[in-house]
Amino acid sequence: MAESKDPLADTVVNNLKVYDDPRKMRDVVIALRAQGRKIGFVPTMGALHAGHLSLVEASRRETDVTIVSIFVNPTQFSDPADLERYPRTLFLDMALLSQLSVNAIFAPKQDAVYPAGYSTSVVVSGVTDRWEGEFRPGHFSGVAMVVLKLFNMVQPDIAFFGQKDYQQTLVVRRMVEDLNVPVQVRICPTIRERDGLAMSSRNALLTADDRERGLVLSRSLKLASELFAAGERDATKIRQRMLAQFEKTPGVTMEYVTLVDPAQMNEVSHARADSVAIIAARVGNVRLIDNCILGQVDAWTTNR
Ligand code: PAF
């Protein structure tokens, strides 16, 4: 029987090479590194938006070659319905990336990442105990596992992640440190819509009404920043004011709203310039997260 041609196998989209075979991807990177090129890597689950594109730009500024991976990682979804619903726009993503100076896309198949018999896990403890770790059991093991695998497959010099997934950035940094992974990790600022909503692939799943309700996340973070800037240091008071925003917004189920320290994400009672305000909430059937570092200028002050 004739072997069917995989439509994605080493495709070229507008001069941009798309690799699906991890060995080929690695060989390409080995050859590029032998030419002295510095490799930048932006891991994504696709459904690309301006936040991802800012990571690509950061990589282009700092490295010679930028590789973007697109892989919807099943092991980081604790809810099968969430995995099913997750937006998949591979061909649009490829077209978008082909317009930027990305050098290659790595879009491995599920069985190349998780072959039959696969039975290893990566568990980062401590920083995963609460918040996302509590509301999405197993999520961070899936993230740590796939990020480590992607790092091994692509072997980048520098990898770029968004601050929007604040806890994820700590998990990746911890894993890299603990397992001596030779990859530098860069965290880039959250990119927001003009009205403050943090860019997320999940925003595409919001109805118009829910999108409006979802603004309560950035609104309460902005309020926390303003209170801090005005001199408020009592974390309980800041949190109460944030919670009041949620009480005024029907149709939004808050999961957590709090202030934590930047390294371990333990709740703080005294707010400092590096404290992080974190939020997770369900808006309709879409779960959104957001955060801000209190003493930092966030995009809601620059975007408007
Ligand atoms: O942040 C994401 O999009 C994902 O968690 C990541 C890092 C690509 C791993 O699947």
Side-chain angles (χ1 to χ4, degrees), residues 43-45 71 73 76 143 146-147 161 165 168:
T44 83
M45 297 206 296
F71 177 68
N73 174 38
Q76 70 187 78
V143 170
V146 82
V147 170
F161 294 84
D165 296 297
Q168 168 173 280

Side-chain angles (χ1 to χ4, degrees), residues 45 71-80 82-84 86 88 108-111 113-114 118 136-139 141-143 146:
M45 297 206 296
F71 177 68
V72 181
N73 174 38
T75 63
Q76 70 187 78
F77 288 81
S78 25
D79 174 4
D82 190 25
L83 172 61
E84 180 75 21
Y86 199 83
R88 289 163 173 84
K109 292 278 174 327
Q110 193 165 311
D111 56 4
V113 179
Y114 297 111
Y118 151 85
R136 303 181 70 188
H139 168 66
S141 306
V143 170
V146 82

Side-chain angles (χ1 to χ4, degrees), residues 70-250:
I70 299 178
F71 177 68
V72 181
N73 174 38
T75 63
Q76 70 187 78
F77 288 81
S78 25
D79 174 4
D82 190 25
L83 172 61
E84 180 75 21
R85 263 199 312 266
Y86 199 83
R88 289 163 173 84
T89 55
L90 185 57
F91 289 95
L92 273 178
D93 293 344
M94 294 195 301
L96 190 61
L97 292 172
S98 73
Q99 285 160 30
L100 305 175
S101 294
V102 165
N103 301 83
I105 296 176
F106 179 45
K109 292 278 174 327
Q110 193 165 311
D111 56 4
V113 179
Y114 297 111
Y118 151 85
S119 51
T120 299
S121 54
V122 180
V123 177
V124 177
S125 51
V127 74
T128 57
D129 290 350
R130 295 195 66 189
W131 320 123
E132 289 307 284
E134 192 176 331
F135 282 90
R136 303 181 70 188
H139 168 66
F140 284 127
S141 306
V143 170
M145 187 71 215
V146 82
V147 170
L148 182 58
K149 275 176 154 284
L150 291 168
F151 281 2
N152 285 334
M153 290 172 182
V154 176
Q155 304 198 347
D157 296 292
I158 311 181
F160 297 82
F161 294 84
Q163 187 199 306
K164 197 196 65 91
D165 296 297
Y166 188 84
Q167 197 170 4
Q168 168 173 280
T169 67
L170 295 188
V171 171
V172 171
R173 280 194 191 283
R174 185 78 263 157
M175 186 262 299
V176 161
E177 178 83 17
D178 290 354
L179 300 180
N180 306 90
V181 182
V183 176
Q184 293 175 49
V185 174
R186 296 278 189 279
I187 312 303
C188 303
T190 301
I191 304 296
R192 298 181 180 278
E193 304 280 1
R194 289 189 74 77
D195 57 11
L197 187 71
M199 298 257 181
S200 163
S201 304
R202 290 173 195 275
N203 293 352
L205 303 173
L206 292 167
T207 63
D209 285 349
D210 285 342
R211 195 197 170 289
E212 198 55 34
R213 292 186 187 107
L215 292 176
V216 66
L217 279 83
S218 56
R219 201 164 51 237
S220 51
L221 290 172
K222 183 166 179 273
L223 175 64
S225 278
E226 287 167 353
L227 290 168
F228 182 78
E232 182 60 82
R233 295 293 179 267
D234 184 334
T236 308
K237 285 194 182 142
I238 296 177
R239 181 170 182 271
Q240 277 164 355
R241 294 285 301 277
M242 294 171 78
L243 283 171
Q245 296 292 316
F246 281 83
E247 279 152 21
K248 285 196 290 201
T249 314

